[in-house]
């Protein structure tokens, strides 16, 4: 959740920033509700103080006037407490629905205003018409979407033959790369509870996109960012232990409400996909350098695989709910003839930390302060597989994968 002190100190600036991110954000209502809550709390405290004074005076002798005054104050107090409960409930709903404050350096607007900050490598060129990954994989017997739809539903994949080997090789390759960059491998449960999803910022806004298991009050994780951030929920971390850098390979599950276009067929957009994630917890003053480290870690994978990609700074309206600033790494997909995101690297500032009470203690004499949390895909495996299949295809329809992956091939 946002730092309310900033909203109280500079309401106009914060309201304008939040509305540049989400024009429909009820930030003005939140600001008004915050004023009302604080005012009612003062009234309740004042009435409680008066009631306590009446109780003290009654010890010296209860008079009719004092009894009537006490009853009157008690009725007022009960009424104001009930009013406060209702107003606080509405305030908390507004607060949880409020996105993180975007960084002021972001371009303002939708995806068309995203700013490409660098382009690495060149688009591959062939003397034949390249195929897309669906055609390549079907011809090689690597994927079967029809069987997956029969056993489960549409937009799931059944991997076979070398596709299975490639998926696991990429997972091991990326975990090793991330460990070399200082990220500790973690294997969390794939199921999370509602509080974990609220802390990460997925709930309540994206509740309709989660796969729910009602009988156990659990959800399939949409990204291991949720799991890794919640390791330190309700924790005060000694400053000397920061930064905490973690990486995890998990399956991720998203309902992704809405239709799928032709350009999102195959492995481009699915309900279940494997992803290697990075999460960092650090002191606020180190947030920028940690974001740079995450991006460098993710880029290193693409460079080792010799894939063409670009890095873009996202505009305000394309930046995620919990993020203050996001860079997308977009790999070139020759068969699709477009760039597609394989990593989003974001700083969430203290937004998730406030939701999850994740703090650190700078010095023995100082009070605990909120940490900053950051996350990045490193990388989304299905889309990376698409890039490899389409980039390294041969004229006869076979695929010659990069040599670096051979040492990670487990089959």
């Amino acid at each position: 959740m946002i730092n309310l002190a900033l909203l109280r100190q500079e309401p106009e600036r914060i309201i304008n920033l939040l509305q540049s991110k989400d024009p429909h954000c009820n930030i003005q209502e939140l600001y008004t509700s915050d004023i009302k809550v604080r005012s009612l709390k003062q009234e309740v405290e004042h009435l409680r103080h008066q009631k306590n004074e009446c109780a003290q005076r009654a010890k010296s002798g209860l008079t009719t006037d004092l009894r009537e005054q006490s009853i009157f104050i008690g009725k007022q107090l009960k009424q104001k407490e009930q009013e406060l409960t209702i107003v606080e409930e509405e305030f908390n709903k507004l607060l949880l629905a409020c996105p993180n404050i975007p960084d002021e350096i972001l371009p303002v607007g939708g995806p068309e205003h995203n700013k490409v900050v660098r382009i690495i490598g060149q688009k591959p060129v062939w003397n034949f018409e390249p195929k897309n990954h669906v055609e390549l994989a079907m011809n090689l017997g690597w994927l079967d979407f029809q069987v997956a739809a029969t056993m489960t539903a549409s937009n799931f994949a059944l991997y076979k033959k070398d596709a299975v080997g490639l998926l696991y090789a990429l997972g091991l390759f990326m975990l090793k790369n991330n460990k070399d960059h200082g990220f500790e491998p973690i294997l969390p449960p794939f199921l999370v509870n509602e509080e974990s999803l609220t802390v990460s910022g997925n709930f309540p806004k994206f509740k309709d996109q989660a796969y729910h298991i009602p009988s156990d009050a659990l959800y399939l994780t949409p990204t291991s960012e949720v799991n890794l951030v919640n390791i330190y929920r309700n924790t005060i971390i000694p400053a000397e232990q920061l930064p905490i850098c973690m990486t995890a390979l998990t399956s991720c599950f998203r309902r992704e409400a809405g239709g799928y276009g032709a350009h999102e067929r195959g492995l481009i957009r699915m309900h279940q996909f494997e992803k290697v994630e990075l999460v960092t917890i650090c002191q606020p003053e180190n947030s920028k350098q940690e974001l740079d480290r995450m991006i460098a870690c993710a880029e290193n994978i693409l460079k080792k695989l010799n894939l063409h990609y670009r890095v873009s700074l996202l505009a305000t309206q394309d930046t995620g709910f919990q993020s203050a600033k996001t860079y997308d790494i977009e790999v070139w997909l020759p068969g699709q003839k477009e760039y597609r995101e394989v990593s989003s690297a974001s700083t969430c500032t203290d937004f998730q930390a406030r939701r999850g009470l994740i703090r650190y203690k700078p010095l023995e004499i100082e009070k605990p302060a909120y940490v900053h949390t950051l996350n990045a895909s490193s990388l989304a495996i299905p889309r990376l597989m698409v890039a490899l299949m389409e980039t390294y295809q041969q004229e006869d329809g076979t695929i010659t994968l990069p040599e670096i992956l051979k040492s990670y091939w487990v089959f």
Side-chain angles (χ1 to χ4, degrees):
M1 58 188 70
I2 65 168
N3 183 351
L4 287 170
L6 294 176
L7 180 61
R8 293 163 185 167
Q9 292 163 9
E10 302 179 84
E12 186 176 349
R13 184 176 74 89
I14 300 302
I15 288 170
N16 287 338
L17 280 170
L18 283 165
Q19 288 183 335
S20 77
K21 183 174 185 176
D22 180 1
H24 305 292
C25 176
N26 293 325
I27 184 61
Q28 185 65 57
E29 289 182 45
L30 176 63
Y31 178 65
T32 303
S33 181
D34 178 47
I35 293 172
K36 192 171 183 179
V37 166
R38 286 187 290 152
S39 176
L40 276 171
K41 282 183 175 179
Q42 287 180 344
E43 290 183 52
V44 166
E45 287 304 315
H46 179 65
L47 288 168
R48 285 174 180 166
H49 179 70
Q50 286 185 312
K51 191 170 177 64
N52 288 336
E53 282 188 337
C54 287
Q56 288 297 322
R57 287 162 56 195
K59 291 179 180 179
S60 301
L62 181 62
T63 64
T64 301
D65 287 345
L66 186 57
R67 182 172 57 250
E68 289 177 354
Q69 183 182 6
S70 180
I71 291 171
F72 177 73
I73 292 171
K75 288 180 179 179
Q76 280 190 312
L77 177 59
K78 184 177 180 180
Q79 180 185 338
K80 289 296 179 182
E81 285 177 333
Q82 290 174 341
E83 189 178 345
L84 178 60
T85 299
I86 294 169
V87 172
E88 279 187 320
E89 185 177 338
E90 181 59 28
F91 168 76
N92 288 329
K93 286 180 181 178
L94 290 168
L95 185 58
L96 285 176
C98 180
N100 198 358
I101 301 166
D103 194 304
E104 289 180 291
I105 74 162
L106 303 191
V108 175
E112 67 278 8
H113 294 284
N114 292 349
K115 180 183 178 182
V116 176
V117 295
R118 60 181 169 273
I119 299 174
I120 306 297
Q122 302 292 325
K123 295 177 183 177
V125 178
W126 296 271
N127 57 6
F128 60 90
E129 183 63 27
K131 298 179 177 67
N132 65 58
H133 75 285
V134 176
E135 187 178 356
L136 287 165
M138 296 294 280
N139 290 340
L140 292 169
W142 283 18
L143 295 169
D144 195 324
F145 297 103
Q146 185 174 346
V147 169
T150 300
M151 72 170 65
T152 309
S154 60
N155 299 110
F156 287 85
L158 177 72
Y159 297 85
K160 300 191 298 182
K161 299 183 179 179
D162 280 349
V164 180
L166 178 57
L167 188 151
Y168 284 108
L170 286 171
L172 291 172
F173 166 62
M174 291 191 287
L175 286 174
K176 177 64 166 59
N177 173 81
N178 298 348
K179 190 174 188 300
D180 290 345
H181 279 77
F183 293 85
E184 178 190 0
I186 302 286
L187 180 59
F190 288 9
L191 293 169
V192 289
N193 56 36
E194 186 164 347
E195 187 177 355
S196 294
L197 287 154
T198 301
V199 167
S200 65
N202 295 75
F203 281 10
K205 185 175 177 64
F206 303 109
K207 195 168 187 176
D208 64 334
Q209 294 189 23
Y211 281 102
H212 188 201
I213 305 172
S215 57
D216 299 297
L218 293 172
Y219 297 82
L220 290 169
T221 185
T223 168
S224 58
E225 170 199 344
V226 176
N227 313 61
L228 298 180
V229 165
N230 276 277
I231 291 174
Y232 293 92
R233 188 169 79 203
N234 299 322
T235 299
I236 298 175
I237 306 166
E240 60 270 20
Q241 292 183 15
L242 297 176
I244 294 170
C245 303
M246 300 169 282
T247 184
L249 166 59
T250 66
S251 292
C252 305
F253 305 86
R254 299 178 190 176
R255 293 184 62 208
E256 296 281 12
Y260 285 63
H263 66 295
E264 294 177 321
R265 61 183 176 163
L267 299 179
I268 300 296
R269 187 173 175 221
M270 299 187 297
H271 294 308
Q272 175 187 330
F273 57 96
E274 283 61 47
K275 180 160 66 79
V276 179
E277 188 76 4
L278 304 174
V279 164
T280 294
I281 298 173
C282 67
Q283 296 181 36
E285 61 268 26
N286 297 328
S287 189
K288 183 183 182 303
Q289 71 184 51
E290 290 301 329
L291 181 60
D292 290 342
R293 173 152 70 128
M294 278 185 161
I295 295 169
C297 179
E299 282 191 78
N300 194 51
I301 293 165
L302 296 176
K303 288 175 180 176
K304 285 181 177 179
L305 295 172
N306 198 26
L307 291 171
H308 170 56
Y309 68 93
R310 69 185 185 187
V311 180
S312 298
L313 173 64
L314 300 193
T316 52
Q317 292 175 30
D318 204 26
T319 302
F321 177 82
Q322 59 267 51
S323 174
K325 180 168 64 176
T326 296
Y327 289 91
D328 269 5
I329 302 176
E330 302 164 307
V331 69
W332 175 251
L333 305 181
Q336 321 295 311
K337 294 182 172 60
E338 63 180 345
Y339 291 97
R340 277 287 185 158
E341 170 216 328
V342 288
S343 176
S344 280
S346 303
T347 174
C348 298
T349 58
D350 60 3
F351 186 81
Q352 293 173 326
R354 289 178 180 277
R355 287 179 170 231
L357 284 177
I358 308 171
R359 294 171 291 170
Y360 76 104
K361 200 164 186 183
L363 296 169
E364 287 297 325
I365 59 172
E366 293 186 17
K367 292 181 180 178
Y370 288 107
V371 299
H372 276 196
T373 61
L374 304 94
N375 65 82
S377 311
S378 182
L379 303 163
I381 293 181
R383 289 187 181 181
L384 184 57
M385 290 177 67
V386 172
L388 288 167
M389 284 189 278
E390 294 184 354
T391 298
Y392 287 99
Q393 63 179 288
Q394 307 301 308
E395 189 171 4
D396 63 0
T398 59
I399 299 167
T400 304
L401 294 168
E403 286 289 320
I404 196 170
L405 292 177
K406 285 188 176 179
S407 60
Y408 298 93
W409 210 270
V410 295
F411 300 115

